[in-house]
Amino acid sequence: MRGQGRADTGSWTEDPYTEALGLGCGPLYLRAHGGWSLTLDVERWCAVADAADLTVLDRCQGTVLDIGCGPGRLVAALGEYGHTSLGIDVNAAAVSRTVLRGGRALRRSVFDPLPTPGTWDTALLIDGNLGIGGDPALLLRRVARLVRPGGLLLVEVAGEDVDERLQVWMENARGTRGTPFPWARLGTPALHRVARATGWSPEDTWSKDTRDFTALRRDRFPRPAPG
């Protein structure tokens, strides 16, 4: 949950998110009307890759694009694995932290022009980044244009069977709020439905330390339109 779409970059470039990244810790919350709330794991984002992250890194193939890289723990670890990788994030502090860790990162939205589109072997949507822009189908279609035919997308999903579209904001323990922005949360069944409609085939699912993941493979050829 470390990057946002072009229209929503303000939410990720101002306090309280930037402040939390600078401190390397929370508390930081994602909130919505009606009492909906999700605690954001800033400490884990700012630490080194953990055991659950390693299950993702073990599945990466070739060149890797980390979408919403945050403070760069996965980009740094990918370098240790010998992968050529690039992190993208709209938050300047996140990009700076990634570079300080020795990773390569650009301050970009996934919807901005990016290097070598259509050639990346693997893309990552970890830490809730499937929610970017609040429209998972739009996001998966965009990532399909970035990854090569037959390429891989590794996604972290919600642990429960949910399919939510929300207007949310960041909020810290002092009650300071960021600008509202659209977000989405999908569990595995909902992700598989969206994936099949946007040029991806589910390949694997797994869990580690209360976190849940899905691997999607980009279709090599366009699917015929339903007749």
PDB file of all heavy atoms in Angstrom, residues 57 61-64 75-85:
ATOM      1  N   LEU A  57       9.787 -13.068  -3.423  1.00  0.00           N
ATOM      2  CA  LEU A  57      11.059 -12.908  -4.125  1.00  0.00           C
ATOM      3  C   LEU A  57      11.515 -14.211  -4.756  1.00  0.00           C
ATOM      4  O   LEU A  57      12.100 -14.207  -5.845  1.00  0.00           O
ATOM      5  CB  LEU A  57      12.120 -12.379  -3.155  1.00  0.00           C
ATOM      6  CG  LEU A  57      11.819 -11.017  -2.522  1.00  0.00           C
ATOM      7  CD1 LEU A  57      12.874 -10.654  -1.498  1.00  0.00           C
ATOM      8  CD2 LEU A  57      11.698  -9.934  -3.578  1.00  0.00           C
ATOM      9  N   GLN A  61      10.909 -13.649 -11.553  1.00  0.00           N
ATOM     10  CA  GLN A  61      11.642 -14.114 -12.722  1.00  0.00           C
ATOM     11  C   GLN A  61      12.179 -12.913 -13.483  1.00  0.00           C
ATOM     12  O   GLN A  61      11.461 -11.947 -13.716  1.00  0.00           O
ATOM     13  CB  GLN A  61      10.725 -14.941 -13.631  1.00  0.00           C
ATOM     14  CG  GLN A  61      10.144 -16.168 -12.957  1.00  0.00           C
ATOM     15  CD  GLN A  61       9.066 -16.846 -13.786  1.00  0.00           C
ATOM     16  OE1 GLN A  61       8.705 -16.380 -14.858  1.00  0.00           O
ATOM     17  NE2 GLN A  61       8.553 -17.970 -13.292  1.00  0.00           N
ATOM     18  N   GLY A  62      13.443 -12.950 -13.860  1.00  0.00           N
ATOM     19  CA  GLY A  62      14.030 -11.942 -14.728  1.00  0.00           C
ATOM     20  C   GLY A  62      13.971 -10.537 -14.163  1.00  0.00           C
ATOM     21  O   GLY A  62      14.205 -10.317 -12.973  1.00  0.00           O
ATOM     22  N   THR A  63      13.637  -9.575 -15.019  1.00  0.00           N
ATOM     23  CA  THR A  63      13.553  -8.183 -14.596  1.00  0.00           C
ATOM     24  C   THR A  63      12.246  -7.950 -13.838  1.00  0.00           C
ATOM     25  O   THR A  63      11.214  -8.520 -14.177  1.00  0.00           O
ATOM     26  CB  THR A  63      13.609  -7.251 -15.803  1.00  0.00           C
ATOM     27  OG1 THR A  63      12.540  -7.573 -16.711  1.00  0.00           O
ATOM     28  CG2 THR A  63      14.945  -7.390 -16.531  1.00  0.00           C
ATOM     29  N   VAL A  64      12.316  -7.090 -12.807  1.00  0.00           N
ATOM     30  CA  VAL A  64      11.178  -6.937 -11.895  1.00  0.00           C
ATOM     31  C   VAL A  64      10.831  -5.464 -11.729  1.00  0.00           C
ATOM     32  O   VAL A  64      11.703  -4.633 -11.434  1.00  0.00           O
ATOM     33  CB  VAL A  64      11.483  -7.548 -10.517  1.00  0.00           C
ATOM     34  CG1 VAL A  64      10.261  -7.454  -9.608  1.00  0.00           C
ATOM     35  CG2 VAL A  64      11.935  -9.001 -10.650  1.00  0.00           C
ATOM     36  N   VAL A  75      12.866  -3.859  -3.400  1.00  0.00           N
ATOM     37  CA  VAL A  75      13.837  -3.500  -4.435  1.00  0.00           C
ATOM     38  C   VAL A  75      15.246  -3.816  -3.954  1.00  0.00           C
ATOM     39  O   VAL A  75      16.063  -4.385  -4.699  1.00  0.00           O
ATOM     40  CB  VAL A  75      13.703  -2.013  -4.811  1.00  0.00           C
ATOM     41  CG1 VAL A  75      14.777  -1.616  -5.817  1.00  0.00           C
ATOM     42  CG2 VAL A  75      12.324  -1.722  -5.393  1.00  0.00           C
ATOM     43  N   ALA A  76      15.548  -3.484  -2.700  1.00  0.00           N
ATOM     44  CA  ALA A  76      16.870  -3.788  -2.151  1.00  0.00           C
ATOM     45  C   ALA A  76      17.115  -5.289  -2.127  1.00  0.00           C
ATOM     46  O   ALA A  76      18.194  -5.771  -2.493  1.00  0.00           O
ATOM     47  CB  ALA A  76      17.003  -3.197  -0.750  1.00  0.00           C
ATOM     48  N   ALA A  77      16.117  -6.053  -1.703  1.00  0.00           N
ATOM     49  CA  ALA A  77      16.279  -7.504  -1.626  1.00  0.00           C
ATOM     50  C   ALA A  77      16.414  -8.119  -3.015  1.00  0.00           C
ATOM     51  O   ALA A  77      17.159  -9.092  -3.205  1.00  0.00           O
ATOM     52  CB  ALA A  77      15.105  -8.115  -0.881  1.00  0.00           C
ATOM     53  N   LEU A  78      15.710  -7.578  -4.000  1.00  0.00           N
ATOM     54  CA  LEU A  78      15.816  -8.098  -5.361  1.00  0.00           C
ATOM     55  C   LEU A  78      17.237  -7.967  -5.888  1.00  0.00           C
ATOM     56  O   LEU A  78      17.718  -8.842  -6.618  1.00  0.00           O
ATOM     57  CB  LEU A  78      14.837  -7.357  -6.273  1.00  0.00           C
ATOM     58  CG  LEU A  78      13.377  -7.772  -6.145  1.00  0.00           C
ATOM     59  CD1 LEU A  78      12.460  -6.733  -6.771  1.00  0.00           C
ATOM     60  CD2 LEU A  78      13.147  -9.145  -6.785  1.00  0.00           C
ATOM     61  N   GLY A  79      17.913  -6.881  -5.521  1.00  0.00           N
ATOM     62  CA  GLY A  79      19.307  -6.734  -5.917  1.00  0.00           C
ATOM     63  C   GLY A  79      20.173  -7.838  -5.340  1.00  0.00           C
ATOM     64  O   GLY A  79      21.070  -8.369  -6.013  1.00  0.00           O
ATOM     65  N   GLU A  80      19.895  -8.215  -4.101  1.00  0.00           N
ATOM     66  CA  GLU A  80      20.650  -9.300  -3.467  1.00  0.00           C
ATOM     67  C   GLU A  80      20.358 -10.629  -4.149  1.00  0.00           C
ATOM     68  O   GLU A  80      21.203 -11.524  -4.163  1.00  0.00           O
ATOM     69  CB  GLU A  80      20.296  -9.368  -1.983  1.00  0.00           C
ATOM     70  CG  GLU A  80      20.701  -8.116  -1.205  1.00  0.00           C
ATOM     71  CD  GLU A  80      20.189  -8.124   0.220  1.00  0.00           C
ATOM     72  OE1 GLU A  80      19.587  -9.144   0.631  1.00  0.00           O
ATOM     73  OE2 GLU A  80      20.388  -7.110   0.916  1.00  0.00           O
ATOM     74  N   TYR A  81      19.166 -10.766  -4.717  1.00  0.00           N
ATOM     75  CA  TYR A  81      18.804 -11.976  -5.449  1.00  0.00           C
ATOM     76  C   TYR A  81      19.384 -11.983  -6.867  1.00  0.00           C
ATOM     77  O   TYR A  81      19.249 -12.972  -7.584  1.00  0.00           O
ATOM     78  CB  TYR A  81      17.287 -12.087  -5.545  1.00  0.00           C
ATOM     79  CG  TYR A  81      16.621 -12.842  -4.426  1.00  0.00           C
ATOM     80  CD1 TYR A  81      16.662 -12.381  -3.115  1.00  0.00           C
ATOM     81  CD2 TYR A  81      15.919 -14.026  -4.671  1.00  0.00           C
ATOM     82  CE1 TYR A  81      16.041 -13.063  -2.085  1.00  0.00           C
ATOM     83  CE2 TYR A  81      15.288 -14.722  -3.650  1.00  0.00           C
ATOM     84  CZ  TYR A  81      15.349 -14.233  -2.356  1.00  0.00           C
ATOM     85  OH  TYR A  81      14.732 -14.915  -1.335  1.00  0.00           O
ATOM     86  N   GLY A  82      19.975 -10.876  -7.287  1.00  0.00           N
ATOM     87  CA  GLY A  82      20.567 -10.807  -8.614  1.00  0.00           C
ATOM     88  C   GLY A  82      19.629 -10.357  -9.711  1.00  0.00           C
ATOM     89  O   GLY A  82      19.964 -10.443 -10.898  1.00  0.00           O
ATOM     90  N   HIS A  83      18.448  -9.851  -9.338  1.00  0.00           N
ATOM     91  CA  HIS A  83      17.494  -9.368 -10.343  1.00  0.00           C
ATOM     92  C   HIS A  83      17.765  -7.912 -10.692  1.00  0.00           C
ATOM     93  O   HIS A  83      18.069  -7.092  -9.810  1.00  0.00           O
ATOM     94  CB  HIS A  83      16.064  -9.464  -9.813  1.00  0.00           C
ATOM     95  CG  HIS A  83      15.559 -10.856  -9.674  1.00  0.00           C
ATOM     96  ND1 HIS A  83      15.096 -11.596 -10.742  1.00  0.00           N
ATOM     97  CD2 HIS A  83      15.432 -11.648  -8.581  1.00  0.00           C
ATOM     98  CE1 HIS A  83      14.704 -12.784 -10.314  1.00  0.00           C
ATOM     99  NE2 HIS A  83      14.887 -12.850  -9.006  1.00  0.00           N
ATOM    100  N   THR A  84      17.616  -7.560 -11.949  1.00  0.00           N
ATOM    101  CA  THR A  84      17.523  -6.159 -12.346  1.00  0.00           C
ATOM    102  C   THR A  84      16.119  -5.694 -12.006  1.00  0.00           C
ATOM    103  O   THR A  84      15.136  -6.310 -12.441  1.00  0.00           O
ATOM    104  CB  THR A  84      17.777  -6.006 -13.850  1.00  0.00           C
ATOM    105  OG1 THR A  84      19.113  -6.429 -14.141  1.00  0.00           O
ATOM    106  CG2 THR A  84      17.589  -4.563 -14.288  1.00  0.00           C
ATOM    107  N   SER A  85      16.016  -4.628 -11.225  1.00  0.00           N
ATOM    108  CA  SER A  85      14.691  -4.210 -10.760  1.00  0.00           C
ATOM    109  C   SER A  85      14.583  -2.698 -10.759  1.00  0.00           C
ATOM    110  O   SER A  85      15.585  -1.976 -10.744  1.00  0.00           O
ATOM    111  CB  SER A  85      14.406  -4.753  -9.354  1.00  0.00           C
ATOM    112  OG  SER A  85      15.315  -4.214  -8.415  1.00  0.00           O
TER     113      SER A  85
END
